[in-house]
Amino acid sequence: MLITGASGGIGFELARLFARDHHNLILVARSGDRLAQVASELRALGVTVHTYAIDLAAPNASKLLFEQVQSAGLTVDILVNNAGFGAFGEFAQMPEEQIVGQIQLNITALTELTRLFLPAMLARRSGRIMNVASTAGFQPGPLMAVYYATKAYVISFSEAIANETRNSGVSVTCFCPGATDTGFAKRAGNDRSRVFQQFGAMSAEKVALDGYRAVMEGRTLAISGVQNWVVAQSTRFAPRKLVTAISRWVSEPTS
Ligand SMILES: NC(=O)c1ccc[n+]([C@@H]2O[C@H](COP(=O)([O-])OP(=O)(O)OC[C@H]3O[C@@H](n4cnc5c(N)ncnc54)[C@H](OP(=O)(O)O)[C@@H]3O)[C@@H](O)[C@H]2O)c1
């Protein structure tokens, strides 16, 4: 199985769960050092681990990764598109590289990797794809407008291809964590936000376990945590301007 963003956070915890169930691993992230540490920790669980240090936000990175995996003779039976990042701040002031980087990693790489690995799964009539979205994908997100929009794409795209591949032997699961205690919030610059400071974040271990179960059960859409599920459902019935205003309030810093 191949997992992107496996060097830390939710991706690492997912990789550990797959390793415990004896899945051989292909781990991808930018940091080669961190990947090497993670790989040796997971090899101790008795599985084979290959690592690829690649920046998936770079153009053509997905194709390069696919070609390297092919030429190593590795088969990908499960693809987990987990790597992603967010950036906090008003859109008008956001540096272009952060805007393009989020779209490239959260949308383009995820879509390209799905397109590259799916046909062989369909030919084998067996496989699983897990796309990590977010509860952010269920409503607009002022102050993180691009990030929320990228995750809305992931939900829509994943549900659509889950439908296209029904009865094919391949399952597509869109997994939506809420606030989770990882390096994500610090990188995004929203670790002082109400959602992380006042509402509390789930542990990466707990979130990964929810995701692991969802992908192994072949669920199409899974939201981690009861509270996150209730919030995601409530956005379907409330007026959109109210939902957007609450979303902004939740993202604002506490001080
Ligand atoms: N934490 C949350 O509150 C939360 C909530 C909802 C959804 N999510 C989603 O869950 C997923 C995992 O997030 P996380 O919380 O585990 O974040 P994290 O702790 O920041 O981990 C992100 C992982 O992605 C890798 N990565 C980042 N940029 C990359 C790039 N350009 N190319 C390749 N790999 C890259 C990182 O490794 P390197 O830095 O070594 O590249 C790391 O392994 C993301 O899609 C995120 O949007 C997170």
Side-chain angles (χ1 to χ4, degrees):
M1 61 93 39
L2 185 152
I3 177 162
T4 67
S7 65
I10 298 167
F12 169 65
E13 296 299 339
L14 278 168
R16 195 172 12 206
L17 290 168
F18 280 106
R20 281 192 189 137
D21 275 352
H22 316 294
H23 292 273
N24 294 325
L25 305 172
I26 304 167
L27 308 180
V28 183
R30 290 169 305 175
S31 153
D33 290 354
R34 180 75 190 123
L35 275 178
Q37 280 173 25
V38 163
S40 73
E41 192 176 329
L42 296 177
R43 280 186 194 112
L45 297 172
V47 295
T48 304
V49 184
H50 295 265
T51 60
Y52 292 93
I54 292 182
D55 181 356
L56 288 171
N60 287 324
S62 306
K63 198 152 176 257
L64 197 73
L65 172 63
F66 178 73
E67 285 167 0
Q68 291 185 10
V69 168
Q70 295 285 100
S71 49
L74 303 170
T75 300
V76 173
D77 53 352
I78 303 175
L79 169 67
V80 179
N81 284 306
N82 163 76
F85 83 101
F88 179 83
E90 287 200 9
F91 177 71
Q93 276 92 50
M94 187 159 288
E96 191 188 342
E97 68 267 18
Q98 289 195 353
I99 296 169
V100 176
Q102 289 174 88
I103 294 171
Q104 182 70 34
L105 183 62
N106 303 359
I107 294 181
T108 309
L110 175 144
T111 308
E112 288 178 344
L113 288 173
T114 302
R115 177 66 181 85
L116 289 163
F117 286 105
L118 178 59
M121 292 183 187
L122 291 173
R124 289 192 298 269
R125 295 199 62 78
S126 161
R128 298 180 190 281
I129 294 178
M130 177 187 195
N131 289 334
V132 179
S134 168
T135 50
F138 294 105
Q139 67 279 305
L143 307 178
M144 288 187 82
V146 174
Y147 177 71
Y148 277 56
T150 64
K151 294 301 184 177
Y153 171 92
V154 176
I155 295 170
S156 173
F157 168 69
S158 305
E159 288 188 302
I161 58 167
N163 174 281
E164 289 181 11
T165 56
R166 71 192 187 284
N167 307 324
S168 70
V170 178
S171 62
V172 178
T173 298
C174 182
F175 178 56
C176 300
T180 309
D181 190 9
T182 67
F184 174 89
K186 201 160 184 8
R187 183 177 180 196
N190 75 335
D191 47 336
R192 302 293 317 151
S193 63
R194 287 192 177 94
V195 63
F196 278 97
Q197 290 297 318
Q198 290 180 354
F199 300 123
M202 288 174 67
S203 75
E205 291 91 330
K206 169 79 183 76
V207 170
L209 187 59
D210 285 347
Y212 186 72
R213 287 184 177 142
V215 71
M216 292 325 237
E217 287 166 11
R219 289 174 60 190
T220 300
L221 184 72
I223 297 169
S224 187
V226 177
Q227 189 182 320
N228 291 325
W229 185 87
V230 171
V231 171
Q233 299 312 312
S234 69
T235 63
R236 298 166 67 182
F237 305 108
R240 289 186 69 79
K241 275 197 178 162
L242 175 66
V243 167
T244 307
I246 294 172
S247 174
R248 180 188 177 115
W249 183 81
V250 162
S251 278
E252 282 170 346
T254 49
S255 54

